[in-house]
Structure formats: C-alpha cells, structure tokens
C-alpha cells in the first residue's frame, strides 16, 4: 500500500470512529429508562415521578418506568441507585431526606453506605413548604399558644412523623430545638399514617407538606400554625412563616431527579434538556396542580446550590435528633 492510500485509509477509519462515537452518544436512550422510587406507592416521589415518566416517554422516545425499591425510609432505593451502572438508564427520584442518610450512619457509628457525592443532580421538580399542624381537638390557635403549653408541661404533647430521621421528623426536630421545648415522638411508616394519627388525636402535632394536609386543613380537622417556607404560601396566605414568628427555620418537602456518580456528561446534559421540556408541558403541570402543588423546577446548577444549602439544614436536624 502506498503512502497516499494509507493516509486516505487512516482518515476514513478515523472518520468512521468519530462518527461511530457520535452515533453512540446520540443513541441515548436506546432502551427503557428506569426511575427508582425509594418509598411505598403514593408518596411524594411516586406521585410526582409518575406524571414525569408519562411526559418523558414521548420526549425520550423510549419507555420510562417507575420501579419501587422501598425500605429504611428511602435509604434502600438510594443505595440501589448509587450502585447502579452510571449509564443513564437507572435514575433516582428522591426527597429532602436523601441528604441525611450518611449523617445518620455516622450518628450510629455505622459504615457510610453512600453520600450526596454519589449522585449527580439533574433537576428539582417540586419544593412544597412544610407546615406545622395541630388537630381540631386541641385548643391552640397560634404557635405561641402551642409553645407555651409545651413549656408548661414538657413531653405532654405527641408529634407524629413518617419515621425516624424522615422528611417529617427532621423539620419538627428543628422547631423543637429552636423553641426550646420537648414533645414525645410517635413515628409511623409514612406521611399518610402520620396525618391519620394527627386527625385521630393519637398525636396532636405534625409537620407535613401543605399538599398532603390541604384537604384536612380545608375541612377544619387540622389547623395550620406556621409555614416552614421562606414566604407565605399563596394558597394559605393567613398562615405566618416560622421566620415571621421569630424562628430562623426553613424546610421544604422537595422531589428531585438524580443520576449515579460517573454518568457521562453528555447523557446528563441530554437528561437535563429533556426534563426541562417535560416539566413545562400542560400534562405535567396539570398533574402537579391536581396534587395541590406547583412545579418548582430548578436545572442542575441551581438545584445543586439549593441542595448544598438544604443539606446543611438536614444534617443539623439529624444531629439534633441524635441516636434514638
């Protein structure tokens, strides 16, 4: 083979390799994309993830399925996602409590299974402010009345939650610490049972998302004393924020989408772009409105900044709760 043919052949081979590489990247996704839901069906990650999967399918042109991997207050599903092949085909839907698992392991002296660094944030989907509730069978109409009663009789009131170190336990712990009061804890196996305990007066206090408690608030069965949001909730403008009442606390029940660490940047960028298209569709926005919420989308850089700040609040809450 003369030099001219060799150079031409080498160039052709290089072009084919380059084209093949580009084609391989452009081919994502070429099969089913799985979104791991780490909680029982009906939780925040599930009810937000299902409409997201429905609108992502036609955009990605591949099936998008929800796979439930519940257990250990969301830690099981998170560990499955952290250990998954970082190829864009296994993603994680998770909530605020994701930030606390490594600190819980440290508090109990256990090996840390994974940290926030094991996940790449793709997008934040919702961020529902938490709200502190009492039931209609107690007399407290204001947060001050509740705090005064708890100070007068420590441990006389019960608060329910979705489980130890879970998304409803964490903001309650921050509030109790800030107010300098004590209450007994009734952990349950989910947000629904925690709200049921409140309405049945098995507990008197609950930190919940507005969306989860909205029906009971409207029915007068639950009384909203204070919001954990940075500003008043537009659907509940008469509920003051914790900061307005003198407590420097902010806490949200957010849902985000994550990829395992090591997922190629090209795939992450594609997912960011496609999710951005999905969240502005009328189908997705309508589904979120029907949950009593609003889309609170953040793209990866903004979400990462939010997540870093939020994780500090979560770690503070875990340390406040300590070993139980």
């Amino acid at each position: 083979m003369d030099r001219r043919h060799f150079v031409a052949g080498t160039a052709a081979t290089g072009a084919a390799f380059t084209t093949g590489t580009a084609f391989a990247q452009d081919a994502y996704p070429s099969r089913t994309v799985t979104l791991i839901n780490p909680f029982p069906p009906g939780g925040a990650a599930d009810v937000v993830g299902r409409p997201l999967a429905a609108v992502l399918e036609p955009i990605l042109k591949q099936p998008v399925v929800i796979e439930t991997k519940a257990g250990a207050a969301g830690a099981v599903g998170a560990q499955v996602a952290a250990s998954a092949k970082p190829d864009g085909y296994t993603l994680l839907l998770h909530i605020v409590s994701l930030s606390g698992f490594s600190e819980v392991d440290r508090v109990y002296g256990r090996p840390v299974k994974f940290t926030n660094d094991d996940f790449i944030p793709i997008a934040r989907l919702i961020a529902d402010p938490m709200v502190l509730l009492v039931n209609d069978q107690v007399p407290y109409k204001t947060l001050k009345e509740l705090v005064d009663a708890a100070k007068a009789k420590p441990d006389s009131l019960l608060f329910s939650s979705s489980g130890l170190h879970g998304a409803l336990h964490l903001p309650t712990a921050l509030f109790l610490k800030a107010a300098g009061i004590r209450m007994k804890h009734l952990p349950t196996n989910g947000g629904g049972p925690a709200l049921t305990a409140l309405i049945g007066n098995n507990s008197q206090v609950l930190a919940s998302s507005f969306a989860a408690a909205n029906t009971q608030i409207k029915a007068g069965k639950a009384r909203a004393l204070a919001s954990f949001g940075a500003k008043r909730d537009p659907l509940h403008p008469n509920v003051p924020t914790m900061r307005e009442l003198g407590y420097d606390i902010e806490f949200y029940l957010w849902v985000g989408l994550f990829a395992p660490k090591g997922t190629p940047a090209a795939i992450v960028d594609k997912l960011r772009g496609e999710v951005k298209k999905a969240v502005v569709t009328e189908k997705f926005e309508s589904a979120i409105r029907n949950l009593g919420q609003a889309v609170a989308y953040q793209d990866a850089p903004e979400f990462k900044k939010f997540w870093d700040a939020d994780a500090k609040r979560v770690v503070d809450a875990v340390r406040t709760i300590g070993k139980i």
Side-chain angles (χ1 to χ4, degrees):
M1 178 184 294
D2 64 25
R3 182 177 182 279
R4 183 174 57 191
H5 283 102
F6 175 78
V7 170
T10 302
T13 302
F17 177 79
T18 302
T19 303
T21 303
F23 176 80
Q25 291 175 344
D26 290 343
Y28 173 82
S30 58
R31 54 187 172 86
T32 298
V33 175
T34 298
L35 309 183
I36 292 180
N37 164 39
F39 298 99
D46 186 56
V47 298
V48 172
R50 290 190 184 279
L52 178 68
V55 295
L56 267 179
E57 275 200 359
I59 294 173
L60 293 177
K61 298 181 175 60
Q62 292 293 337
V64 180
V65 301
I66 302 290
E67 185 174 332
T68 297
K69 295 286 186 181
V76 170
Q79 189 169 2
V80 170
S83 304
K85 185 176 180 180
D87 55 7
Y89 290 99
T90 301
L91 306 176
L92 175 67
L93 290 157
H94 220 298
I95 64 174
V96 55
S97 54
L98 176 66
S99 307
F101 293 130
S102 59
E103 192 61 28
V104 171
D105 283 338
R106 293 185 187 100
V107 165
Y108 282 89
R110 302 186 299 236
V112 174
K113 302 175 189 68
F114 54 84
T115 71
N116 290 1
D117 291 337
D118 288 307
F119 303 99
I120 300 171
I122 302 295
R124 189 186 76 176
L125 305 170
I126 65 162
D128 195 16
M130 303 294 281
V131 58
L132 194 73
L133 305 167
V134 294
N135 64 38
D136 62 349
Q137 298 175 60
V138 296
Y140 319 120
K141 301 295 193 296
T142 67
L143 191 65
K144 184 180 184 306
E145 291 178 0
L146 173 66
V147 171
D148 288 347
K151 285 183 175 178
K153 293 184 177 181
D155 293 323
S156 61
L157 295 170
L158 275 77
F159 73 90
S160 52
S161 82
S162 53
L164 294 175
H165 301 102
L168 309 190
H169 190 190
L170 298 171
T172 312
L174 291 177
F175 165 66
L176 296 179
K177 176 185 178 182
I181 57 177
R182 297 202 316 264
M183 297 182 190
K184 290 182 179 179
H185 183 200
L186 175 64
T188 70
N189 62 357
L195 182 59
T196 299
L198 178 81
I199 301 308
N201 202 34
N202 293 311
S203 71
Q204 292 77 51
V205 181
L206 172 68
S208 170
S209 68
F210 268 115
N214 196 45
T215 298
Q216 300 296 345
I217 293 172
K218 287 183 176 179
K221 297 293 185 181
R223 189 179 304 124
L225 299 185
S227 165
F228 288 80
K231 56 186 179 180
R232 294 195 181 200
D233 185 81
L235 297 178
H236 303 88
N238 295 325
V239 180
T241 67
M242 284 285 181
R243 286 206 174 101
E244 287 179 69
L245 299 174
Y247 301 102
D248 187 19
I249 310 171
E250 189 175 334
F251 210 90
Y252 300 87
L253 181 59
W254 53 260
V255 176
L257 182 67
F258 302 85
K261 179 181 70 176
T263 301
I267 291 177
V268 170
D269 288 344
K270 183 175 180 65
L271 284 167
R272 286 172 55 191
E274 304 301 51
V275 171
K276 188 174 184 178
K277 294 175 189 175
V279 298
V280 297
T281 61
E282 173 57 27
K283 185 175 182 179
F284 183 74
E285 290 184 339
S286 175
I288 299 303
R289 280 197 304 272
N290 289 340
L291 296 173
Q293 301 185 56
V295 175
Y297 168 78
Q298 287 183 339
D299 191 15
E302 189 181 8
F303 180 27
K304 179 64 166 62
K305 184 177 179 180
F306 168 85
W307 189 27
D308 286 345
D310 193 68
K312 293 177 182 178
R313 294 190 282 265
V314 171
V315 168
D316 182 23
V318 171
R319 289 175 179 170
T320 296
I321 295 166
K323 184 186 289 189
I324 298 175

